[in-house]
Amino acid sequence: MGFEWKVAFRFLKDGRGQTAFILLGIAVGVAVQVFLGTLISGLQADLINNTVGTSAHIIFSGDNGFSAESRQASADYTFAVEGNFRQTDDTLKDWRPLMDALDNQPEMTAVSPLVQGNGFLLRSGISAPVVFRGIMPDRANELYQLEEGLLEGNLGLEGNQIMLGTDLAEEYQLRLGDNVTFQLPGESRQVFTIAGIFDLGSQSINESWILLDLSRAQRLLGLGDDINRLETQIRDVFAADVLSEELEKQFQGVSIDNWKVQNADLLSALQSQSGSSITIQVFVLLAITLGIASVLAVSVVQKSKQIGILKAMGTSSSSASRIFLIQGGLLGLLGSLLGVLFGFMLTQFFLWGTAQATGRALFPLEFDPVSSAVIVAIATTASVVSALIPARKSAKLNPIDVIRG
Amino acid sequence: MLRLGEGEIVLLETRGITKVYGTVFKTTALGGIDLNFDPGEFASIIGYSGSGKTTLLNILGALDRPTDGSVWFNNVEVTAMNDRELAEFRNRNIGFIFQFHHLLPEFTALENVLIPTWIKTHSSTRQKEERARELLELVGLKERINNKATDLSGGQQQRVAIARSLINEPAIILADEPTGNLDSETTEQVYELMREINARLNTAFIVVTHNDHIAAKSDRIVEMKDGMILKDYLTGERSKDDVWQDVAPKYCRHCYKDSDEVNNQLL
Ligand SMILES: Nc1ncnc2c1ncn2[C@@H]1O[C@H](COP(=O)(O)OP(=O)(O)OP(=O)(O)O)[C@@H](O)[C@H]1O
Ligand SMILES: [Mg+2]
């Protein structure tokens, strides 16, 4: 161990109370950073999971031949092109090769075709608006976790079988095996049998979705072999925008949308939350830095006699300054390590506390070793930086002034 | 100017050094000093307070720079070195003993002795530690090796400082009133110790002192006045009586009726 380390260590060890206080100060600051960081990232992860956990990340739908640009470019001729395509033109035709291709994309975790149409549930003179969603049960299960959400029945969906949400079932007192009449688009009526009741965690889904087999839905809605959308989930939800751009290059003639665009509001809210969290972290860091700087500034004065002797005996100015940089670094490192420990304990205590109060943890909190390591690294660096001024003082100290007494 | 014989190596030499303190109100602390010190020499610098002794010693020890003139060590010009080189020069060639001990209170006696080796090599070896123990034994502190510096008496601390000044085996040790705040008994012990080291290791000593007995017992006396050398002579070239007449305070010049008594006092 180098001589500067030896002296730095000894100075810190010898300044017991002072060292303990500043270590505690750093530890408390870092604990707040760790706790706050864990809390906010837990909260955000929970929100994101609620938003995209069981919904599509990237959605493929039909492109009627006009990209957004060409639509705009042709704005002058709108009157001329308007009649040339119908609303239904944005269905996906010939989608099976696309689905196969997407199945082979390593990023994709679920690919599920969807046919969608609006209708009404007819029951004792009342009609309730519903959304028919034709699915391939196995594929949709991967995306919506149907199996987990299924309260009664099974995923079979053969013939006239449908699944509906628990809220709808409750409202209209529908039970497994009941036959229910629906009005389809185009005034036609159809009777379905309830083969399953699900709870997908969202009230709007639970009171409006009617799930039925894809091919049956295609027939009922008169789509032939077309579908409305291909819904997909991907491994890294936040890469949705980047991945969609890549996919747009790969697959022409489809329009690709992603959850980030659809949830821009949520994302910007999360971003501003992260922003305020970072602001707090920065100010905590600033407080730590100032604390260390002031403690070391005092220490340089206290140790000026020692520094003077060391210099008289041949310690160079850079060496003398390093003694204080090392002290700063040591304080930062030890303090922030202690702080991570405190922060970890604080999150555990918080989890325990909320579990005590509400019966279950509000949302899962995951201790993130990487971000803790980053905090330790930043705090240590900041501590070394904060030691720069005391270190300069130490470097400038003239041994003669000390020796004269 | 004094040389101990032509052709001998000069250890430390000053050429016309002056020191002026302050920029607006100038104090001339040294007014042109030419001095030579030889290897193994034991010299005392005496003179009234404010005569420039500490200023001279600090310049000799490369702790301070003269306003004018140069300092040479083994024919190398010390005054031409930059600060970093000066620090290294001090570490390797000069041992310091200060009036107020100036041990590092955070460290033990042994560690304090080792500090100059840490500075020199950035590490410490078993041999160096062994040497430090020997030196502490030499200064009579075998039993106090692991005491914190603050747990030692004034005389003990000064002896640790002497051991510390020796660890890097410097050619010369500069001591500024090393016994200034010790009682006469301890003063005598410290002086004897320095003399012993001087004899055994041939380390040169330049000791600034107000203690006339120590001065009278050195090989050479340099007396300063108002930043100038007033007298500079070898004690061996004069009778002890004569030397005593020279260094003793005026009120004491006639304290001793015959030279026997002077001799007793000097021994
Ligand atoms: N840093 C300084 N600034 C201004 N003047 C100084 C400084 N240091 C010393 N002096 C002056 O230089 C002169 C010589 O001082 P020096 O300390 O060398 O004397 P000294 O012989 O060691 O005295 P003493 O026996 O009291 O220690 C004195 O007049 C002193 O006031
Ligand atoms: Mg002095």
Side-chain angles (χ1 to χ4, degrees):
Chain A
M1 191 169 53
F3 130 80
E4 293 129 359
W5 286 87
K6 234 177 231 167
V7 176
F9 251 121
R10 197 59 68 88
F11 279 5
L12 287 179
K13 203 177 131 203
D14 209 62
R16 280 178 212 113
Q18 205 169 303
T19 307
F21 270 120
I22 187 65
L23 277 180
L24 207 64
I26 298 166
V28 168
V30 169
V32 168
Q33 287 186 312
V34 168
F35 178 63
L36 200 72
T38 312
L39 203 64
I40 285 184
S41 68
L43 183 70
Q44 297 201 344
D46 192 52
L47 267 171
I48 295 288
N49 190 40
N50 282 345
T51 312
V52 297
T54 56
S55 66
H57 301 164
I58 297 181
I59 298 157
F60 295 76
S61 53
D63 186 352
N64 43 34
F66 287 88
S67 66
E69 290 94 307
S70 62
R71 241 190 243 264
Q72 230 155 35
S74 65
D76 290 345
Y77 309 101
T78 308
F79 68 94
V81 287
E82 206 152 58
N84 288 351
F85 52 89
R86 295 174 299 138
Q87 220 40 93
T88 50
D89 267 4
D90 62 1
T91 56
L92 265 177
K93 300 175 175 61
D94 200 20
W95 50 276
R96 284 176 205 276
L98 176 62
M99 185 169 78
D100 290 342
L102 293 177
D103 278 340
N104 288 330
Q105 294 261 342
E107 274 301 310
M108 296 283 170
T109 54
V111 182
S112 174
L114 174 72
V115 161
Q116 184 167 313
N118 298 322
F120 293 93
L121 181 153
L122 303 176
R123 183 108 173 143
S124 31
I126 308 164
S127 64
V130 293
V131 181
F132 288 102
R133 291 173 71 95
I135 54 164
M136 291 178 158
D138 289 345
R139 285 177 173 272
N141 181 37
E142 281 172 11
L143 205 154
Y144 297 107
Q145 314 295 324
L146 294 178
E147 226 152 49
E148 268 174 47
L150 203 62
L151 302 176
E152 291 173 77
N154 61 62
L155 286 182
L157 293 184
E158 279 158 9
N160 265 353
Q161 289 181 333
I162 56 160
M163 288 196 287
L164 47 75
T166 171
D167 290 338
L168 192 67
E170 226 162 79
E171 176 137 24
Y172 297 96
Q173 283 147 23
L174 304 171
R175 259 177 243 116
L176 209 63
D178 283 0
N179 289 327
V180 195
T181 312
F182 288 91
Q183 182 181 317
L184 297 174
E187 303 299 312
S188 70
R189 292 185 179 199
Q190 185 82 31
V191 176
F192 293 103
T193 309
I194 300 174
I197 296 173
F198 58 75
D199 174 7
L200 291 185
S202 147
Q203 201 191 342
S204 71
I205 289 177
N206 287 346
E207 64 187 14
S208 67
W209 280 17
I210 306 292
L211 299 179
L212 65 164
D213 182 62
L214 182 79
S215 52
R216 181 146 185 84
Q218 284 172 324
R219 226 172 321 122
L220 289 172
L221 297 171
L223 286 171
D225 193 37
D226 296 357
I227 58 170
N228 294 103
R229 293 204 284 271
L230 251 182
E231 298 187 315
T232 66
Q233 275 190 340
I234 58 175
R235 226 174 288 281
D236 175 10
V237 289
F238 289 101
D241 44 356
V242 179
L243 190 60
S244 336
E245 266 176 44
E246 275 175 34
L247 291 169
E248 263 164 19
K249 279 177 211 145
Q250 281 181 50
F251 302 105
Q252 253 87 44
V254 289
S255 101
I256 301 176
D257 208 357
N258 70 75
W259 74 274
K260 284 180 113 171
V261 175
Q262 294 167 338
N263 293 282
D265 284 351
L266 173 73
L267 283 173
S268 77
L270 292 186
Q271 214 151 45
S272 66
Q273 190 184 41
S274 298
S276 58
S277 152
I278 286 173
T279 311
I280 295 173
Q281 307 244 1
V282 166
F283 277 104
V284 169
L285 197 67
L286 199 66
I288 291 175
T289 313
L290 290 176
I292 294 182
S294 72
V295 163
L296 288 181
V298 171
S299 172
V300 170
V301 176
Q302 288 174 334
K303 305 289 185 195
S304 60
K305 186 185 139 199
Q306 285 88 323
I307 299 293
I309 300 166
L310 288 172
K311 284 189 156 185
M313 291 190 301
T315 300
S316 66
S317 293
S318 59
S319 213
S321 69
R322 234 171 286 143
I323 289 170
F324 284 86
L325 293 180
I326 292 170
Q327 286 188 70
L330 282 174
L331 286 174
L333 183 67
L334 294 178
S336 54
L337 284 176
L338 205 62
V340 167
L341 186 72
F342 285 178
F344 178 73
M345 278 158 48
L346 208 57
T347 47
Q348 295 305 310
F349 182 73
F350 177 81
L351 284 179
W352 178 80
T354 50
Q356 288 286 345
T358 62
R360 69 189 183 103
L362 285 179
F363 46 84
L365 280 187
E366 258 179 56
F367 179 73
D368 180 9
V370 174
S371 66
S372 291
V374 169
I375 289 177
V376 169
I378 291 178
T380 307
T381 312
S383 306
V384 174
V385 171
S386 74
L388 277 175
I389 296 171
R392 245 174 86 86
K393 254 196 206 163
S394 168
K396 280 189 172 169
L397 207 129
N398 189 346
I400 302 173
D401 299 337
V402 176
I403 283 148
R404 275 192 186 275
Chain B
M1 197 163 121
L2 176 134
R3 299 284 293 255
L4 282 188
E6 288 311 312
E8 271 186 71
I9 319 153
V10 177
L11 182 65
L12 193 58
E13 182 182 357
T14 70
R15 295 184 191 161
I17 54 172
T18 64
K19 183 72 182 180
V20 180
Y21 285 113
T23 45
V24 184
F25 302 102
K26 294 185 176 171
T27 316
T28 303
L30 296 178
I33 305 277
D34 295 295
L35 278 174
N36 284 349
F37 293 95
D38 296 285
E41 175 169 53
F42 196 106
S44 286
I45 300 179
I46 59 171
Y48 292 116
S49 180
S51 55
K53 305 182 296 292
T54 297
T55 305
L56 175 63
L57 204 72
N58 286 344
I59 291 172
L60 286 174
L63 278 169
D64 204 356
R65 291 176 186 279
T67 307
D68 219 336
S70 56
V71 178
W72 298 74
F73 181 88
N74 280 334
N75 288 329
V76 176
E77 191 184 347
V78 177
T79 34
M81 296 179 182
N82 65 28
D83 285 353
R84 195 183 189 87
E85 289 165 338
L86 280 186
E88 197 181 324
F89 170 79
R90 287 199 297 271
N91 180 249
R92 280 161 200 261
N93 302 303
I94 312 277
F96 289 100
I97 305 170
F98 308 106
Q99 180 176 356
F100 298 103
H101 327 308
H102 292 308
L103 299 182
L104 266 61
E106 293 86 356
F107 292 86
T108 65
L110 184 68
E111 289 166 334
N112 265 286
V113 174
L114 281 168
I115 284 173
T117 72
W118 295 347
I119 296 170
K120 186 175 178 179
T121 61
H122 272 250
S123 66
S124 88
T125 61
R126 198 144 277 290
Q127 288 127 286
K128 280 294 172 193
E129 204 176 308
E130 216 31 67
R131 178 72 186 142
R133 281 175 202 281
E134 279 169 28
L135 287 171
L136 281 167
E137 204 176 328
L138 177 73
V139 300
L141 286 175
K142 202 183 169 190
E143 314 299 320
R144 300 275 182 276
I145 277 177
N146 291 316
N147 276 36
K148 268 274 169 75
T150 41
D151 298 340
L152 295 170
S153 74
Q156 288 171 334
Q157 289 188 36
Q158 198 58 301
R159 283 186 274 163
V160 173
I162 292 170
R164 181 180 67 186
S165 73
L166 289 166
I167 188 80
N168 277 352
E169 292 167 8
I172 190 161
I173 289 178
L174 305 179
D176 195 354
E177 301 184 41
T179 55
N181 61 345
L182 300 178
D183 60 52
S184 56
E185 187 85 4
T186 322
T187 296
E188 192 63 26
Q189 285 174 9
V190 168
Y191 168 75
E192 289 301 339
L193 182 61
M194 292 194 292
R195 266 331 300 229
E196 192 186 328
I197 289 159
N198 169 246
R200 273 197 12 202
L201 307 174
N202 199 39
T203 310
F205 276 80
I206 303 177
V207 184
V208 168
T209 183
H210 283 282
N211 187 301
D212 310 313
H213 303 290
I214 285 189
K217 284 191 273 191
S218 341
D219 299 336
R220 174 181 172 189
I221 293 173
V222 177
E223 186 173 349
M224 294 185 69
K225 194 184 177 204
D226 299 333
M228 300 295 286
I229 306 294
L230 186 67
K231 286 178 191 159
D232 182 359
Y233 58 91
L234 296 177
T235 50
E237 290 170 348
R238 301 195 186 183
S239 76
K240 286 191 170 130
D241 225 352
D242 199 14
V243 171
W244 181 248
Q245 288 299 319
D246 204 41
V247 300
K250 292 201 169 52
Y251 65 84
C252 210
R253 292 249 161 101
H254 308 288
C255 296
Y256 308 102
K257 291 197 179 69
D258 57 55
S259 51
D260 268 0
E261 224 168 316
V262 175
N263 284 348
N264 287 342
Q265 186 62 38
L266 292 180
L267 283 174

